[in-house]
């Protein structure tokens, strides 16, 4: 098309002096006509036979009837112009151009981007390929450079893991998608940033405008949430969710390779008592220490997790045989036997471990954990600081335990418990000076159930607290009733479990029971085991002193079977030691030597001593010759219900 045949809609006199820069270009890119503003903007000196392709990528403007782009001028080293293209006919285009000052356009672009992102706390950067063209002050503040420095940098110097997209990728990219990168500040520190590229008037093929937002706090929170989903925050060990995932994968591998693996369920002994006594902060510190001990067993084939409370799990892959599984359990127990120091306390921690082995004890992760858990409870009930391999009979016993637990709750509610009392005789006067209250369960169907069949279960389930309170009230009430009938006052002894002794408000509860029943405190004696007395020295001493101040007597039961520490006995406000009945065996001569030592030691510490389990005249004679203070046992009387015990008081 020749210049002569084109009729332009604008008078030449007006056209030349228009402030807007205007060009008319044919479909071959030849500049047909332009005004002074256009030639000045493009810095065109020779106005004959010019091609627009020498100044910009005109092909991008030919795609649509109307096009509006920000375009880089080829001869002006990155200079940008805003171009609006209107196709007049099939072979003629009108280009309306304006000089783009990025400084003038920054706020306009940012306002447009904000409308899409709905966020006002982000920085903005304009860049071409990797070169930073401009940015706002928020962007400058994020990275800590001077603005003049940033505009001379490449974006990859500021943003790590940044990828420069190819042109077609940018053009067809989903601009709603955000990318997360690492920002690098001038001082060398890094932060997490979110980068969202948005088009401005469809100019994305030439330059890109990106909104940058510091999302460090959000990323750290997300990572924390992810950590919490798979890790225990207190010990930094994996949690049950992670363990289940790893165990499931390990089972798949073991099935393919026809290998064994072992699952260990670990529980700390007496943790609840420690927690209740010394507080949850102390308990948390103890759990951290235990976690560190377990971490020492981390190997390629082991995986360790904390499930909840004081319970931990260990997975041992590629287990050769049951002996291999037992070996690890013994090593863990040995590690936990070493004392630990926390806040000035030296503690001896014991653990109970249950072990299940694949495929003998279960084929799924749930069965293996459940069976290891069941085996652990058997260990805790009978041994502690030991381990137990799962056996099929355990499942049946566990079902029986659940049934008995339900029956125990009914027994407490329906008054099926009774107290029997065993007399305690003073060897000097021959009088009955005390009675030990012993719990009996009179089941409506099964009759009397021995205490050793349900006491440990009551302790495990926490029912021992309610049962123990009932025993205390009933024993005090019965003893006061005998006194009210005119019988000579005696001391009633009541056994306290570890859970009872460590419960909060124990002293206040006992004081309340004494007030309710009217029994004088000097006629109540609380018996605690030797191992309980040595488990938490400061708390035990404090509680004992409060009980003694109240007037209640305190004795050590089963003495000689535990620590037998003279140091502890010298500082505990104990009134009496009870020699365990195991030392009454006449067939072992060393037993008599032990009994002699206990009697003489007790007297030297101004304590009374009582021997239980006395069944023969020979045993009685020996104890009399050694100046034992008191005795109890079948030789005098078995435990009796209150009505049958009255005869002993009448004789006196």
């Amino acid at each position: 098309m020749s210049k002569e045949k084109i009729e332009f809609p604008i008078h030449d006199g007006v056209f030349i002096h228009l402030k807007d820069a205007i060009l008319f270009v044919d479909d071959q890119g030849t500049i047909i006509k332009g005004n002074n503003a256009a030639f000045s903007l493009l810095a065109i000196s020779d106005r004959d036979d010019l091609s627009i392709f020498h100044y910009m990528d005109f092909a991008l403007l030919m795609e649509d009837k109307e096009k509006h782009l920000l375009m880089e001028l080829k001869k002006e080293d990155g200079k940008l112009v805003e171009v609006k293209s209107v196709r007049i006919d099939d072979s003629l285009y009108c280009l309306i151009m304006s000089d783009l000052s990025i400084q003038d356009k920054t706020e306009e672009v940012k306002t447009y981007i904000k409308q899409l992102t709905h966020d006002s706390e982000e920085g903005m950067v304009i860049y071409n390929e990797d070169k930073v063209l401009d940015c706002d002050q928020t962007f400058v503040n994020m990275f800590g450079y001077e603005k003049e420095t940033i505009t001379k940098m490449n974006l990859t110097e500021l943003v790590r893991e940044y990828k420069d997209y190819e042109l077609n990728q940018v053009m067809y990219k989903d601009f709603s998608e955000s990318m997360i990168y690492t920002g690098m500040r001038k001082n060398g520190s890094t932060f997490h940033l979110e980068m969202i590229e948005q088009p401005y008037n469809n100019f994305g093929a030439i330059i890109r405008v990106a909104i940058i937002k510091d999302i460090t706090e959000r990323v750290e929170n997300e990572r924390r949430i992810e950590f919490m989903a798979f890790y225990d925050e207190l010990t930094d060990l994996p949690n049950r969710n992670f363990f289940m995932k790893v165990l499931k994968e390990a089972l798949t591998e073991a099935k393919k390779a026809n290998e064994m693996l072992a699952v260990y369920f670990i529980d700390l002994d007496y943790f609840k008592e420690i927690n209740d006594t010394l507080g949850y902060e102390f308990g948390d510190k103890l759990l951290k220490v235990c976690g560190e001990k377990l971490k020492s067993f981390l190997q390629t084939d082991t995986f360790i997790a904390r499930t909840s409370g004081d319970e931990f799990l260990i997975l041992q892959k590629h287990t050769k045989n049951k002996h291999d599984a037992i070996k690890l359990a013994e090593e863990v127990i040995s590690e936990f036997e070493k004392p630990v120091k926390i806040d000035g306390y030296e503690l001896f921690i014991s653990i109970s471990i249950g072990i299940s082995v694949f495929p003998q004890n279960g084929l799924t992760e749930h069965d293996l954990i459940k069976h290891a858990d069941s085996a652990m409870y058997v260990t805790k009930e009978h041994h502690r600081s030991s381990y137990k391999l799962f056996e099929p009979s355990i499942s049946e016993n566990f079902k029986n335990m659940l049934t008995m637990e339900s029956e125990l709750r009914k027994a407490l509610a329906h008054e099926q418990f009774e107290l029997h009392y065993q007399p305690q005789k003073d060897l000097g006067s021959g009088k009955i000076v005390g009675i030990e209250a012993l719990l009996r369960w009179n089941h409506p169907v099964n009759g009397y159930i021995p205490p050793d069949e349900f006491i440990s279960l009551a302790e495990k389930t926490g029912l021992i607290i309610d049962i123990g309170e009932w025993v205390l009230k009933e024993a005090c009430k019965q003893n006061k009733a005998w006194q009210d009938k005119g019988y000579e006052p005696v001391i009633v002894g009541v056994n306290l479990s570890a859970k009872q002794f460590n419960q909060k408000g124990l002293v206040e509860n006992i004081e309340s029971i004494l007030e309710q029943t009217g029994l004088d405190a000097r006629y109540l004696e609380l018996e605690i085991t030797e191992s309980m007395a040595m488990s938490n020295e400061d708390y035990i001493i404090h509680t004992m002193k409060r009980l003694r101040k109240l007037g209640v007597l305190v004795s050590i039961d089963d003495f000689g079977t535990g620590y037998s520490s003279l140091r502890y006995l010298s500082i505990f406000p104990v009134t009496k030691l009870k020699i365990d009945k195991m030392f009454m065996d006449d067939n072992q001569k060393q037993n008599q030597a032990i009994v002699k030592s206990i009697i003489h030691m007790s007297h030297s510490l101004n304590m009374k001593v009582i021997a239980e389990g006395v069944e023969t005249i020979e045993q009685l004679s020996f104890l009399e010759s050694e100046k034992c203070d008191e005795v109890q046992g079948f030789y005098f009387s078995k435990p009796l219900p209150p009505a049958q015990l009255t005869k002993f008081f009448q004789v006196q």
Side-chain angles (χ1 to χ4, degrees), residues 115-229:
Q115 293 173 357
L116 300 176
T117 61
H118 305 288
D119 203 319
S120 59
E121 296 181 359
E122 68 278 313
M124 188 188 73
V125 60
I126 300 176
Y127 59 100
N128 178 26
E129 294 184 349
D130 191 30
K131 180 176 174 53
V132 176
L133 301 176
D134 196 13
C135 61
D136 67 357
Q137 191 59 41
T138 305
F139 186 89
V140 170
N141 295 340
M142 282 184 185
F143 290 89
Y145 290 93
E146 296 296 327
K147 185 172 182 178
E148 292 74 16
T149 303
I150 285 184
T151 53
K152 295 177 183 178
M153 297 175 70
N154 293 330
L155 195 61
T156 49
E157 297 178 71
L158 300 170
V159 180
R160 186 178 299 163
E161 299 174 357
Y162 168 74
K163 292 183 179 179
D164 190 15
Y165 295 97
E166 297 294 334
L167 179 62
N168 64 331
Q169 288 179 294
V170 175
M171 288 177 65
Y172 298 107
K173 182 184 173 186
D174 180 3
F175 288 99
S176 64
E177 177 186 358
S178 63
M179 305 296 291
I180 296 178
Y181 303 107
T182 299
M184 294 169 285
R185 297 188 181 96
K186 180 180 179 181
N187 62 10
S189 64
T190 61
F191 65 100
H192 301 286
L193 61 87
E194 182 179 52
M195 182 170 172
I196 305 175
E197 289 183 323
Q198 297 287 354
Y200 176 64
N201 291 325
N202 201 25
F203 64 86
I206 305 304
I207 68 169
R208 280 169 279 173
V209 180
I211 291 298
I212 306 291
K213 183 177 181 181
D214 186 341
I215 57 167
T216 302
E217 184 177 355
R218 190 187 86 190
V219 170
E220 289 178 352
N221 287 337
E222 288 173 351
R223 289 182 176 178
R224 181 178 178 83
I225 291 171
E226 183 179 0
F227 179 88
M228 292 173 65

Side-chain angles (χ1 to χ4, degrees), residues 258-314:
N258 195 27
E259 292 181 335
M260 296 172 61
L261 61 79
V263 172
Y264 303 76
F265 200 108
I266 302 173
D267 186 87
L268 305 185
D269 298 332
Y270 302 113
F271 177 74
K272 186 179 185 304
E273 289 78 10
I274 293 173
N275 228 8
D276 291 343
T277 303
L278 298 176
Y280 292 105
E281 184 177 350
F282 186 93
D284 286 348
K285 291 179 181 179
L286 176 58
L287 289 173
K288 286 182 180 180
V289 170
C290 293
E292 292 302 315
K293 283 181 174 287
L294 288 173
K295 286 176 186 177
S296 65
F297 292 94
L298 279 172
Q299 301 291 336
T300 306
D301 295 336
T302 57
F303 189 80
I304 301 170
R306 178 191 174 208
T307 58
S308 63
D310 60 335
E311 296 175 343
F312 298 84
L313 286 168
I314 297 180

Side-chain angles (χ1 to χ4, degrees), residues 295-502:
K295 286 176 186 177
S296 65
F297 292 94
L298 279 172
Q299 301 291 336
T300 306
D301 295 336
T302 57
F303 189 80
I304 301 170
R306 178 191 174 208
T307 58
S308 63
D310 60 335
E311 296 175 343
F312 298 84
L313 286 168
I314 297 180
L315 164 65
Q316 182 189 53
K317 296 189 287 187
H318 310 301
T319 307
K320 297 176 183 177
N321 48 49
K322 288 185 177 180
H323 297 292
D324 197 20
I326 290 173
K327 180 182 178 183
L328 177 59
E330 291 175 340
E331 290 174 352
V332 173
I333 290 171
S334 177
E335 173 63 29
F336 273 82
E337 287 176 346
K338 300 173 184 177
V340 298
K341 287 188 176 181
I342 302 175
D343 293 346
Y345 293 93
E346 184 176 65
L347 295 178
F348 290 84
I349 312 168
S350 67
I351 59 174
S352 298
I353 303 178
I355 311 170
S356 63
V357 177
F358 169 84
Q360 294 92 327
N361 304 141
L363 301 178
T364 69
E365 59 270 27
H366 296 286
D367 284 344
L368 288 168
I369 292 175
K370 178 179 69 176
H371 291 159
D373 187 10
S374 299
M376 182 277 295
Y377 271 112
V378 173
T379 302
K380 185 175 286 291
E381 185 175 352
H382 296 291
H383 304 289
R384 303 204 179 232
S385 193
S386 186
Y387 63 86
K388 176 71 176 177
L389 280 164
F390 177 80
E391 299 170 354
S393 60
I394 291 177
S395 291
E396 188 62 34
N397 292 338
F398 191 72
K399 292 178 183 177
N400 294 336
M401 184 189 74
L402 292 177
T403 302
M404 182 171 284
E405 179 182 349
S406 177
E407 292 292 315
L408 264 177
R409 295 184 185 278
K410 292 179 183 178
L412 188 60
H414 299 157
E415 300 181 350
Q416 296 174 11
F417 290 118
E418 299 177 1
L419 284 186
H420 289 192
Y421 301 87
Q422 188 170 36
Q424 298 171 334
K425 189 174 185 178
D426 183 272
L427 288 181
S429 64
K431 292 183 177 182
I432 301 299
V433 293
I435 48 175
E436 182 180 5
L438 299 167
L439 183 62
R440 297 292 183 263
W441 179 7
N442 190 2
H443 193 277
V445 176
N446 301 324
Y448 283 103
I449 299 176
D452 57 3
E453 291 187 16
F454 67 85
I455 289 296
S456 59
L457 177 60
E459 180 126 6
K460 187 187 307 178
T461 59
L463 283 170
I464 195 67
I465 299 296
D466 293 333
I467 294 174
E469 185 172 345
W470 178 87
V471 171
L472 272 167
K473 286 182 180 178
E474 186 64 23
C476 291
K477 184 171 68 174
Q478 180 61 65
N479 199 18
K480 185 63 168 65
W482 277 320
Q483 293 179 12
D484 290 343
K485 287 183 179 180
Y487 299 132
E488 189 171 342
V490 296
I491 297 169
V492 62
V494 177
N495 292 281
L496 288 186
S497 71
K499 274 190 170 63
Q500 283 179 278
F501 196 85
N502 287 290

Side-chain angles (χ1 to χ4, degrees), residues 582-639:
M582 67 176 288
F583 297 113
M584 290 296 103
D585 187 352
D586 298 328
N587 297 323
Q588 297 185 26
K589 290 183 179 180
Q590 60 267 37
N591 282 348
Q592 290 191 352
I594 293 172
V595 172
K596 286 182 181 181
S597 298
I598 294 174
I599 293 172
H600 296 160
M601 177 190 64
S602 299
H603 290 164
S604 67
L605 295 172
N606 295 318
M607 297 181 193
K608 286 188 176 182
V609 60
I610 180 173
E612 63 178 347
V614 178
E615 298 179 354
T616 66
I617 185 63
E618 290 79 14
Q619 292 171 345
L620 178 61
S621 299
F622 167 71
L623 292 169
E624 286 178 329
S625 65
E626 295 301 325
K627 308 298 182 184
C628 184
D629 299 295
E630 300 170 9
V631 293
Q632 75 178 82
F634 280 21
Y635 181 77
F636 297 104
S637 174
K638 65 180 181 179

Side-chain angles (χ1 to χ4, degrees), residues 470-585:
W470 178 87
V471 171
L472 272 167
K473 286 182 180 178
E474 186 64 23
C476 291
K477 184 171 68 174
Q478 180 61 65
N479 199 18
K480 185 63 168 65
W482 277 320
Q483 293 179 12
D484 290 343
K485 287 183 179 180
Y487 299 132
E488 189 171 342
V490 296
I491 297 169
V492 62
V494 177
N495 292 281
L496 288 186
S497 71
K499 274 190 170 63
Q500 283 179 278
F501 196 85
N502 287 290
Q503 67 176 305
K504 293 181 179 178
L506 172 68
V507 178
E508 290 80 5
N509 192 32
I510 290 174
E511 185 177 15
S512 175
I513 290 173
L514 290 172
E515 289 178 358
Q516 292 173 35
T517 60
L519 182 68
D520 193 301
R522 58 181 170 160
Y523 296 118
L524 173 63
E525 182 175 75
L526 301 177
E527 299 181 10
I528 64 174
T529 63
E530 188 178 358
S531 58
M532 282 169 53
M534 311 308 168
S535 62
N536 186 352
E537 178 182 323
D538 289 346
Y539 174 77
I540 295 296
I541 292 176
H542 178 68
T543 304
M544 282 186 176
K545 286 182 177 179
R546 292 183 64 199
L547 289 170
R548 293 294 296 120
K549 186 177 181 180
L550 189 63
V552 175
L553 305 176
V554 181
S555 66
I556 301 294
D557 195 12
D558 303 333
F559 189 78
T561 61
Y563 295 87
S564 303
S565 170
L566 288 176
R567 175 181 172 273
Y568 286 118
L569 290 179
S570 66
I571 59 177
F572 285 163
V574 177
T575 53
K576 187 189 296 183
L577 295 183
K578 178 177 279 191
I579 301 173
D580 189 79
K581 60 184 177 182
M582 67 176 288
F583 297 113
M584 290 296 103
D585 187 352

Side-chain angles (χ1 to χ4, degrees), residues 53-64:
F53 286 106
H54 295 160
Y55 299 93
M56 66 181 66
D57 191 351
F58 180 60
L60 294 173
L61 300 171
M62 299 173 65
E63 296 174 352
D64 300 311

